[in-house]
Amino acid sequence: MIRDLPSLAFQGVSRIFPGGVHALKDVSFSIPAGGLTAVIGPSGCGKTTLLRIAAGLDRATSGSVNFIGPDGKTSARGRENLSVCFQDARLLPWRNVVANVALPLELSGVSRVERLARANQVITAAGLAPAQTRLPSQLSGGMRMRVALARTLVTSPDVLLLDEPCSAVDEFTRMQLDEEIRRVWQVSGATTMLITHSVSEAVWLADQIIVMNVGSVHEIHRVALPQQARDRTSTAFLLEVETVMRSLARAAGVVIA
Ligand SMILES: Nc1ncnc2c1ncn2[C@@H]1O[C@H](COP(=O)(O)OP(=O)(O)OP(=O)(O)O)[C@@H](O)[C@H]1O
Ligand SMILES: [Mg+2]
């Protein structure tokens, strides 16, 4: 699918909350069009605040977040066609899987026939068809997150913002969800920001990793491994993980051997 995807540029973003909490201080980096950038950093360093500002759910005190079109000009399209997935699946408990996945289309006034067709398409692609009539309470935590990811895809977003979608699941389920995130990213082709606490997840999925310390960018790391050759047990992969882990430790002021 060839589309005019936007890049996402954070330029000197600061956020001071009432009470004086300086959550972000002059944060600048760009996510290339169609790229997947992971953001990692210690708890409270401002990752969610950054995502909320990008999504238009909060405002920067100074600086800006711009979606830049292929012509180099600021484009409104990225913000208009953006999907967010939070750490908790946030499914509506009284709606079954199909009705949850179709919700964003319903809110934007898409006809019932079309929204069911599109919801069924992403549900089938995610391997969730056998569970499509179940309620969230009848799903495992990992399945609920897969439904939430399917819901982010149903609008064919240009920009995907994912806030720790795998943090509430065990290591094995996380690896399965990582496969799903990679598939979602590749199918959608969207410019993607993934917040995570897992260095290994960041290295497995991202082409760029933003390492944050409290409120600011500590280091920008480019992942040199080819996307399709990311074997979690290979020496090259483990060396990359070690490099990012050391950067994160420096950012957090922790000494590791
Ligand atoms: N609405 C708010 N009002 C005041 N302070 C806030 C608000 N939202 C966040 N903060 C503060 O801003 C800082 C950054 O919070 P944020 O949630 O962005 O961190 P985070 O990196 O996402 O942390 P975690 O990894 O634990 O999710 C924290 O000190 C937090 O207490
Ligand atoms: Mg957070």
Side-chain angles (χ1 to χ4, degrees):
M1 191 193 333
I2 298 174
R3 283 186 293 153
D4 290 342
L5 288 164
S7 59
L8 178 51
F10 295 87
Q11 289 157 337
V13 174
S14 295
R15 177 66 167 108
I16 305 171
F17 284 111
V21 179
H22 211 145
L24 296 171
K25 300 165 206 148
D26 197 20
V27 169
S28 297
F29 66 89
S30 285
I31 305 180
L36 193 156
T37 289
V39 179
I40 60 171
S43 185
C45 74
K47 304 179 296 295
T48 296
T49 304
L50 200 59
L51 179 139
R52 287 175 52 81
I53 293 172
L57 298 171
D58 190 14
R59 277 180 172 273
T61 308
S62 58
S64 60
V65 181
N66 290 307
F67 298 88
I68 316 279
D71 56 1
K73 292 187 183 146
T74 302
S75 127
R77 215 182 99 179
R79 180 152 290 141
E80 283 160 8
N81 198 7
L82 171 151
S83 275
V84 185
C85 185
F86 292 99
Q87 146 176 25
D88 44 340
R90 298 190 184 186
L91 304 177
L92 296 178
W94 59 88
R95 285 186 166 229
N96 69 16
V97 168
V98 183
N100 264 290
V101 170
L103 182 66
L105 299 175
E106 192 174 328
L107 295 176
S108 51
V110 174
S111 73
R112 186 182 150 76
V113 172
E114 191 182 340
R115 63 180 191 253
L116 287 182
R118 279 163 66 182
N120 277 319
Q121 208 178 2
V122 291
I123 285 168
T124 304
L128 288 165
Q132 61 182 338
T133 55
R134 286 201 220 162
L135 293 170
S137 59
Q138 298 168 317
L139 304 172
S140 68
M143 276 173 98
R144 280 199 284 272
M145 278 321 296
R146 284 168 57 207
V147 174
L149 284 166
R151 184 182 53 190
T152 65
L153 263 194
V154 82
T155 51
S156 309
D158 287 344
V159 176
L160 266 178
L161 304 174
L162 311 174
D163 192 356
E164 297 190 46
C166 306
S167 64
V169 297
D170 65 79
E171 190 66 20
F172 181 68
T173 309
R174 177 193 284 269
M175 285 193 272
Q176 289 179 321
L177 278 176
D178 285 346
E179 302 266 3
E180 191 58 21
I181 291 170
R182 177 181 276 173
R183 194 188 66 77
V184 161
W185 170 53
Q186 288 176 340
V187 168
S188 68
T191 304
T192 301
M193 173 163 136
L194 168 74
I195 293 176
T196 176
H197 276 292
S198 163
V199 172
S200 142
E201 175 172 272
V203 171
W204 196 73
L205 282 166
D207 37 45
Q208 172 176 260
I209 300 175
I210 310 297
V211 180
M212 290 184 69
N213 52 20
V214 180
S216 53
V217 173
H218 171 71
E219 215 162 72
I220 298 180
H221 180 83
R222 276 174 214 297
V223 182
L225 306 168
Q227 269 292 338
Q228 296 308 334
R230 297 194 181 181
D231 170 1
R232 289 175 206 265
T233 57
S234 74
T235 307
F237 183 88
L238 293 171
L239 281 173
E240 201 83 10
V241 168
E242 186 189 348
T243 303
V244 178
M245 193 80 87
R246 287 188 182 281
S247 173
L248 185 60
R250 282 194 300 275
V254 175
V255 179
I256 52 172

